[in-house]
Amino acid sequence: MKKIIQQAFFQLRNQPLLSVITVLGTALAIALIMVILIVYQAKTADYAPEVNRSRSLYVKWERTVYDKKDPNSAGHSRPSLWLVKEIFYPLTTPEAVTATYEGGEVLVGTVGSDEEMNTPLMLTDAAFWKVYQFRFLAGKPFTEADFQSGMKQAVIAKSVARRLFGGAENAIGKDILVNFAAYTVCGVVDDVNRFCEFTWSEVYAPYTSNAIASEAEAGQTSGNNVITILARSTDDFDAIRNEVARGVAQINTTLGDMELQLMGQPDNFRMQLNRKFANQYENLNANFWKYGIMILIILLVPAINLSGLTNTRMRRRLEELGIRKAFGATRNELVWQVLNENLVLTVMGGLLGLTLAYLFLWLMSDWLLQTVWGATATMNASMVSPVIFLIAFGFCLILNMFSAYVPAWRVAHTPIVDSLNEKL
């Protein structure tokens, strides 16, 4: 291996222009692919507070047909709290079920202070803190007893605590005004990345403390809730879906001429990413094919160009390789020599490409890290992982094979006399 690296660096010094172009071409190809994969990893990986994405199911939308005789007389919305209580809370198969109510932007301030800020509010239940694992900097979450009693308790984000109270510890036990209603701060959590669609907020409170969010009128299917179902294992997904289907069938017996539809939900995490809107669902397999073809094109175009560069380098080395053949080197040995030397260059390009990928993410974060609703996420720990480096190395191997094998094979099969006369 040491000899191969020495030979590669010798060729780098001997043919600097071609070698630098090869490294840069590889780096740009790898950088483009890695940006796609890094962003996908950040959107789908398990990380705090959404550490259970891989074993969670989600219901974000419902469809209600108001007259069974006319299938087009339908409306779409978030599920209502009545549906949450009638179908989802009674589920026995999952480990936990939580419902969150999107409270929108609210005005948050403190009593006797002019300091105010607009911030998102999320109303939820006590099971929310079991399904999602937040990092508490101070205090603790509101309890089941607080939730059942409708206590005006609030968990706030670190950024809110810092602005209103100067720090996390100073906020515990203090009152904040949420749209002029007093809530007592019981906990402070680390700020949540905006890629965490189901947990991103800056103020969390029991939905029982809000008259509108806690309304659960019988027969009312439309609402503003999102349901997360935490399975004990991914093996339970089908059983949970079957239990939900039975619950929907039971509800439909009480709705008269109306019919409730969940449109194939609950979805796993990757499936729900494609269900951005109630009446629009992108085919998951089609998306995989789309990204697969995109990556293949990104690989093939530079591979063809790099193959030409490798061929040029090989023409300059025909005499050297001809002498090696004359002294007994086999065709396979020559092919492996060229592939290994090229691999060193592609690995160098891969490392540079990985660095460029993170640089691109930083410089173009407003575009590359845009969330579903148009906000910009921050770079997070999931974007730097051994998996990312292994994938980068895998693409280096693929690019190396695409760009170097054909020139290496041609050189290895060139007659000795032609090689010594530098005829390819």
Side-chain angles (χ1 to χ4, degrees), residues 98-101 122-129 142 147 204-208:
T98 184
T100 54
Y101 182 96
M122 181 174 286
L123 299 167
T124 185
D125 50 32
F128 178 79
W129 308 107
F142 54 82
F147 170 74
Y204 307 84
Y207 66 68
T208 51

Side-chain angles (χ1 to χ4, degrees), residues 300-357:
L300 281 178
V301 172
I304 293 170
N305 292 329
L306 292 175
S307 179
L309 290 173
T310 304
N311 191 54
T312 301
R313 292 207 318 270
M314 291 304 100
R315 290 179 68 90
R316 295 186 179 186
R317 297 179 59 192
L318 274 176
E319 185 177 359
E320 169 205 336
L321 297 173
I323 292 172
R324 285 205 61 196
K325 287 178 71 175
F327 278 89
T330 65
R331 290 174 177 176
N332 286 338
E333 288 174 342
L334 292 178
V335 169
W336 276 111
Q337 178 188 343
V338 175
L339 287 177
N340 288 331
E341 290 175 3
N342 204 68
L343 178 61
V344 174
L345 296 179
T346 51
V347 168
M348 291 171 61
L351 292 175
L352 177 59
L354 201 57
T355 304
L356 288 175

Side-chain angles (χ1 to χ4, degrees), residues 249-266:
Q250 175 59 36
I251 284 290
N252 280 329
T253 63
T254 69
L255 293 179
D257 291 333
M258 299 197 317
E259 182 181 43
L260 171 68
Q261 299 172 356
L262 293 184
M263 303 169 291
Q265 299 170 100

Side-chain angles (χ1 to χ4, degrees), residues 58-63 79 241 244-245 248 261-267 272 275 278:
Y58 304 87
V59 178
K60 300 195 297 185
W61 306 103
E62 63 82 28
R63 181 176 189 267
R241 290 188 177 106
V244 169
V248 171
Q261 299 172 356
L262 293 184
M263 303 169 291
Q265 299 170 100
D267 293 327
Q272 66 80 27
R275 203 185 292 272

Side-chain angles (χ1 to χ4, degrees), residues 15-31:
Q15 302 180 46
L17 180 60
L18 292 176
S19 298
V20 168
I21 292 174
T22 299
V23 171
L24 289 178
T26 302
L28 290 174
I30 296 298

